[in-house]
């Protein structure tokens, strides 16, 4: 059974790429009878927007991706500080002159990516991991440290996320080593692009809620993002339109995730929307929501 998670930050609109990450992790968990977790990464006090937390929950509800548990990193600060204190006591972390806590021996590990294969850290990766900050001088955890502690504590076994996290995973592997914890499986999928560049939150097309407000069918949105980073083993008319149940059947054993970028195609989304709405009228949609 896989335990997976999606970990959005409440700093703006719910990104189309975040919707894809949530969908892929939901599928991996549900296909194995596992657990799917929602973690709100809200330790960035300067950028957090309480309204964005509501957007996260509204987005997940619209997509029908019910998590098994929800937690906020801001509610686990004592845990991060306790783990950092243990590392200090063991000599695996040190205090910097300004009071921050640094990882003393930041050696990366070789790790396996389910999409790209074995990943061997180079000198640049080791340099990033060496002496990386775990807690800032104000006692707030850095994203990398909090993320690893959470994944260990929550028993996360598979982490599916965008290819822009490759560098982060090298850094995280050093924290796992320091904590004597086993690495989960990782899968880094190709980024969504628009006009030949990475789609960002600033792009109008990136906002998931804009599609809800435009009347797009959520099943069509899921079908759309599924095919931007995953493909079925048999790609023909039978897989041209995928309901939730069909996607759940195929995700792990009937297809594979991809590492190449995928271009945003508004016309394809519109076509899928028409087709899913037609299926719904025929009573052929799916009620798989949990």
């Amino acid at each position: 059974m896989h335990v997976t998670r999606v970990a959005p930050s409440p700093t703006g609109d719910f990104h189309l790429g975040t919707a894809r990450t949530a969908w892929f992790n939901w599928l991996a968990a549900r296909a194995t009878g596992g657990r799917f977790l929602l973690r709100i990464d809200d330790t960035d006090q300067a950028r957090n927007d309480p309204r964005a937390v509501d957007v996260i929950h509204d987005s997940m509800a619209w997509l029908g991706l019910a998590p098994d548990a929800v937690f906020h990193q801001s509610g686990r600060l004592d845990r991060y500080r306790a783990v950092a204190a243990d590392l200090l006591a063991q000599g695996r972390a040190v205090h910097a002159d300004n009071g921050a806590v640094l990882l003393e021996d930041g050696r990366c590990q070789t790790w396996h990516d389910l999409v790209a294969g074995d990943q061997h850290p180079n000198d640049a990766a080791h340099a990033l991991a060496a002496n990386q900050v775990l807690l800032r001088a104000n006692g707030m955890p850095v994203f990398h440290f909090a993320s690893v502690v959470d994944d260990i504590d929550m028993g996360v076994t598979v982490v599916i996320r965008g290819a822009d996290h490759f560098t982060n995973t090298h850094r995280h592997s050093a924290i796992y080593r320091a904590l004597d914890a086993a690495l989960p499986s990782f899968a880094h999928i190709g980024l969504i692009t628009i006009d030949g560049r990475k789609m960002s939150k600033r792009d109008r097309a990136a906002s998931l809620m804009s599609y809800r407000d435009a009347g797009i069918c959520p099943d069509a949105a899921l079908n759309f993002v599924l095919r931007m980073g995953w493909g079925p083993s048999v790609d023909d008319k039978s897989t041209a339109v995928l309901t939730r149940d069909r996607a759940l059947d195929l995700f792990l054993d009937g297809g594979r995730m991809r590492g190449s970028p995928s271009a945003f195609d508004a016309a394809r989304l519109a076509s899928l929307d028409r087709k899913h709405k037609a299926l719904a009228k025929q009573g052929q949609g799916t009620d798989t929501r949990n």
Side-chain angles (χ1 to χ4, degrees):
M1 295 189 297
H2 290 324
V3 178
T4 67
R5 48 79 166 174
V6 63
S9 300
T11 57
D13 284 339
F14 197 88
H15 191 283
L16 197 65
T18 307
R20 182 183 65 169
T21 299
W23 181 217
F24 280 34
N25 281 282
W26 186 96
L27 286 168
R30 293 291 179 262
T32 60
R35 286 167 49 81
F36 170 64
L37 312 176
L38 170 60
R39 185 182 80 211
I40 310 295
D41 283 8
D42 58 352
T43 57
D44 190 337
Q45 296 171 315
R47 298 179 61 218
N48 285 344
D49 181 351
R51 294 169 298 180
V53 176
D54 294 334
V55 172
I56 290 170
H57 290 294
D58 289 346
S59 298
M60 296 290 286
W62 181 65
L63 292 172
L65 303 180
D68 295 294
V70 180
F71 63 98
H72 294 244
Q73 287 189 327
S74 59
R76 288 175 46 80
L77 298 181
D78 288 346
R79 173 59 178 160
Y80 308 135
R81 291 163 184 162
V83 174
D86 286 344
L87 290 174
L88 286 166
Q90 296 169 24
R92 300 185 181 190
V94 296
H95 275 118
D97 292 339
N98 66 354
V101 177
L102 310 180
L103 187 64
E104 172 69 0
D105 183 11
R107 291 176 296 154
C108 299
Q109 304 181 60
T110 295
W111 50 275
H112 181 74
D113 188 89
L114 298 173
V115 176
D118 289 341
Q119 301 297 306
H120 303 280
N122 56 22
D123 290 342
H126 286 300
L128 278 174
N131 299 315
Q132 61 178 299
V133 177
L134 305 179
L135 293 183
R136 298 182 177 90
N138 63 2
M140 294 299 289
V142 171
F143 155 75
H144 306 287
F145 181 55
S147 180
V148 170
V149 172
D150 287 339
D151 285 345
I152 293 171
D153 286 354
M154 304 302 168
V156 170
T157 60
V158 179
V159 176
I160 304 174
R161 55 191 177 188
D164 51 343
H165 283 278
F166 261 110
T167 300
N168 289 342
T169 303
H170 283 306
R171 297 178 69 157
H172 295 179
S173 74
I175 302 174
Y176 276 98
R177 181 195 292 276
L179 294 174
D180 292 325
L183 290 167
S185 297
F186 294 98
H188 293 79
I189 50 181
L191 301 180
I192 299 174
T193 63
I194 186 168
D195 298 329
R197 55 174 175 76
K198 175 188 173 182
M199 178 181 279
S200 75
K201 284 187 175 182
R202 294 183 297 274
D203 289 308
R204 185 175 180 181
S207 172
L208 181 72
M209 289 289 90
S210 68
Y211 300 107
R212 180 200 65 178
D213 296 343
I216 295 294
C217 171
D219 286 359
L222 291 175
N223 194 161
F224 180 61
V225 296
L226 177 66
R227 295 307 305 268
M228 291 193 292
W230 176 92
S233 300
V234 178
D235 197 354
D236 57 19
K237 290 183 179 180
S238 69
T239 54
V241 178
L242 293 172
T243 64
R244 293 169 187 259
D245 284 343
R246 185 74 171 133
L248 189 59
D249 289 340
L250 294 176
F251 185 71
L252 291 180
D253 298 324
R256 65 185 305 271
M257 291 177 279
R258 298 192 300 257
S260 56
S262 297
F264 175 82
D265 185 344
R268 186 174 192 184
L269 174 58
S271 174
L272 286 170
D273 185 52
R274 291 191 296 270
K275 292 173 181 177
H276 276 277
K277 286 175 177 174
L279 285 176
K281 286 183 179 180
Q282 298 166 15
Q284 297 181 34
T286 176
D287 293 325
T288 299
R289 295 278 175 159
N290 296 308

